[in-house]
Amino acid sequence: MSDSRLFKILYYLLDRGHATAPELAAEFEVSPRTIYRDVEALSSAGIPIYAETGRNGGIYLLQDFILDRAILSEKEKQEVLIAMQSVLATGYIGGKEILTKLSALFNVNTRSWLEVDFSRWGKCAFDNSKFEMLKKAVIQCKEIKIVYENTKSERSTRIIQPLKLSYKSKEWYLKAFCMKQQDFRIFKLNRILELELMENTFMPRPYPEQNNDLHKICSRIVLLFAKEIAYRVYDEFDETQIKYQKNGDLIACAEMPVDTWLIGYLLSFGAQVEIMEPAYLKDVLAAQAQEIYKKYKP
C-alpha cells in the first residue's frame, strides 16, 4: 500500500463530494477491493467516511466534514492523532506518513502513548510474524495452510479461509472457514504451530453470529481462592464475579466450560484454591492431582 494514497483519497472526496470505488480505483491504479480496504483504514483512523450501496451509491464523507485545522480545538486535534496512533499500534503499517502529515497540518506534536506487542514472552519473532502473515491473509483474502493442535492434543493439517482476527479474554483467535470440515471454525493463534500463505484467493463470507449454544456447554463454577493469590484471580475474573471474605480470601463465580484448560488452570494454584461448586469437579481435580503424585513420588 502506498503510504500517501489514503491522504490523496481524502482530498479527492473533499474536492468532489463523493466517488465510486471503481472511479477511485481507476484514479489511483488499484483494485476496487483495495479502495474498500483504504476506506476501512480511514474510518478506523477517525475520518467520517462511509460507503453506500444502490443506484446512487458511492463513497462519501459526512456532509459537514472539512479538513481545516482551524475548526478543530486543540483537544480534538489530539484525539484525531491519538486515533491514528491507535491504528498504527495494531500493526497497520500504511499510516506513518499520514500521521506525520496530520501532525504538521494541525501543528501539534503528540507523544507515543500506546504500544502493542502480539508476542508471548520469549516468542517475539515467531508470534509477531505469524500475526502479520494472518493479517495479510485476511486482508488479501488468501487461503492458508496451518498445522493446528486442539485441546485434545490432536494435531492436524488443514486449509482454511481466514475471515477475521478476534481478541477475546486476553487471547487472539482466528475466525475462518475450514475447507476440510466445510464449516466455520475458530482457531486459537497460540495453537497454530505452522503457517503457510497460499496463492489461492477466496470470496469472503460473513462469519455467523454466535448463538447461545456456547452457554449450554458451560457450568457454574464457584471457587474459593486464598488471599495470597488474589493477584492471579484478577487475571481471569471480573470484579463483579468476585466476593471478598472477611479474612481476605476471594470467592469467584462464573460460567465456564469444564475442559482440560480449566483443570490445568486450577491445578496451577496448588492448595490455594478450593472448589465449592460443582461437586463432581472436586473428584476430577483430585484424580489428576493423584496422578501427578504417583508420577513424582520418590
Side-chain angles (χ1 to χ4, degrees):
M1 174 184 291
S2 169
D3 287 347
S4 62
R5 188 174 65 246
L6 299 183
F7 211 71
K8 291 177 181 178
I9 290 174
L10 185 56
Y11 274 123
Y12 190 95
L13 294 175
L14 284 169
D15 183 51
R16 291 167 174 78
H18 77 283
T20 64
E23 178 184 346
L24 290 172
E27 176 70 19
F28 299 107
E29 299 180 345
V30 294
S31 67
R33 180 181 295 176
T34 298
I35 293 298
Y36 283 120
R37 290 201 298 266
D38 291 344
V39 169
E40 183 176 353
L42 284 167
S43 178
S44 298
I47 304 299
I49 188 172
Y50 63 97
E52 285 189 352
T53 58
R55 182 177 179 182
N56 297 318
I59 298 170
Y60 295 79
L61 290 169
L62 288 184
Q63 187 173 0
D64 296 330
F65 176 74
I66 301 174
L67 189 62
D68 184 350
R69 69 182 185 185
I71 69 170
L72 298 175
S73 67
E74 292 302 315
K75 181 180 179 181
E76 289 170 333
K77 293 174 186 177
Q78 287 284 356
E79 289 297 328
V80 171
L81 296 178
I82 286 172
M84 192 68 221
Q85 282 186 332
S86 301
V87 175
L88 293 177
T90 64
Y92 173 65
I93 61 175
K96 287 187 176 180
E97 186 174 331
I98 296 175
L99 181 60
T100 301
K101 289 181 177 179
L102 288 177
S103 297
L105 181 67
F106 295 157
N107 193 26
V108 172
N109 290 321
T110 182
R111 65 183 179 86
S112 179
W113 67 280
L114 179 64
E115 181 179 354
V116 177
D117 188 344
F118 299 106
S119 66
R120 292 163 287 176
W121 295 107
K123 300 280 289 184
C124 180
F126 179 67
D127 281 352
N128 283 329
S129 62
K130 180 197 300 183
F131 189 91
E132 285 297 316
M133 190 178 296
L134 289 173
K135 182 182 72 173
K136 181 178 180 180
V138 171
I139 293 174
Q140 297 183 359
C141 298
K142 286 194 172 184
E143 294 181 351
I144 56 175
K145 179 190 290 186
I146 64 171
V147 175
Y148 188 76
E149 185 154 335
N150 63 20
T151 55
K152 299 179 181 179
S153 297
E154 298 170 341
R155 187 171 298 191
S156 63
T157 301
R158 59 182 82 192
I159 305 293
I160 63 174
Q161 297 176 344
L163 302 174
K164 183 182 294 186
L165 285 162
S166 175
Y167 188 75
K168 177 72 173 177
S169 187
K170 302 184 290 295
E171 296 286 353
W172 281 101
Y173 298 88
L174 177 67
K175 295 182 176 181
F177 185 84
C178 179
M179 304 301 290
K180 180 179 180 180
Q181 301 295 332
Q182 283 296 297
D183 200 2
F184 295 96
R185 291 289 188 271
I186 296 179
F187 301 94
K188 191 173 184 178
L189 260 61
N190 288 344
R191 296 183 189 145
I192 298 178
L193 307 179
E194 296 179 23
L195 174 63
E196 180 184 348
L197 189 65
M198 312 293 287
E199 291 298 324
N200 294 341
T201 58
F202 62 91
M203 289 297 295
R205 63 193 86 191
Y207 192 90
E209 293 294 328
Q210 289 186 343
N211 53 37
N212 293 326
D213 290 342
L214 292 176
H215 296 289
K216 297 178 181 178
I217 62 174
C218 292
S219 301
R220 183 174 183 267
I221 308 296
V222 183
L223 305 167
L224 174 63
F225 293 95
K227 59 184 178 182
E228 291 79 10
I229 206 70
Y231 68 93
R232 283 193 60 194
V233 179
Y234 303 128
D235 289 341
E236 297 297 336
F237 298 94
D238 184 78
E239 183 75 12
T240 59
Q241 298 172 312
I242 300 172
K243 292 183 179 180
Y244 298 91
Q245 307 303 294
K246 291 182 179 180
N247 65 348
D249 291 348
L250 303 88
I251 294 179
C253 178
E255 295 286 330
M256 305 176 70
V258 179
D259 54 16
T260 54
W261 179 90
L262 179 61
I263 302 304
Y265 173 72
L266 295 177
L267 286 171
S268 71
F269 286 94
Q272 292 179 305
V273 64
E274 178 183 345
I275 299 170
M276 300 178 71
E277 294 181 31
Y280 75 86
L281 188 55
K282 298 179 182 181
D283 297 330
V284 174
L285 202 67
Q288 286 290 318
Q290 185 66 25
E291 290 298 320
I292 294 174
Y293 173 74
K294 290 179 180 178
K295 186 173 185 179
Y296 292 106
K297 72 176 181 179

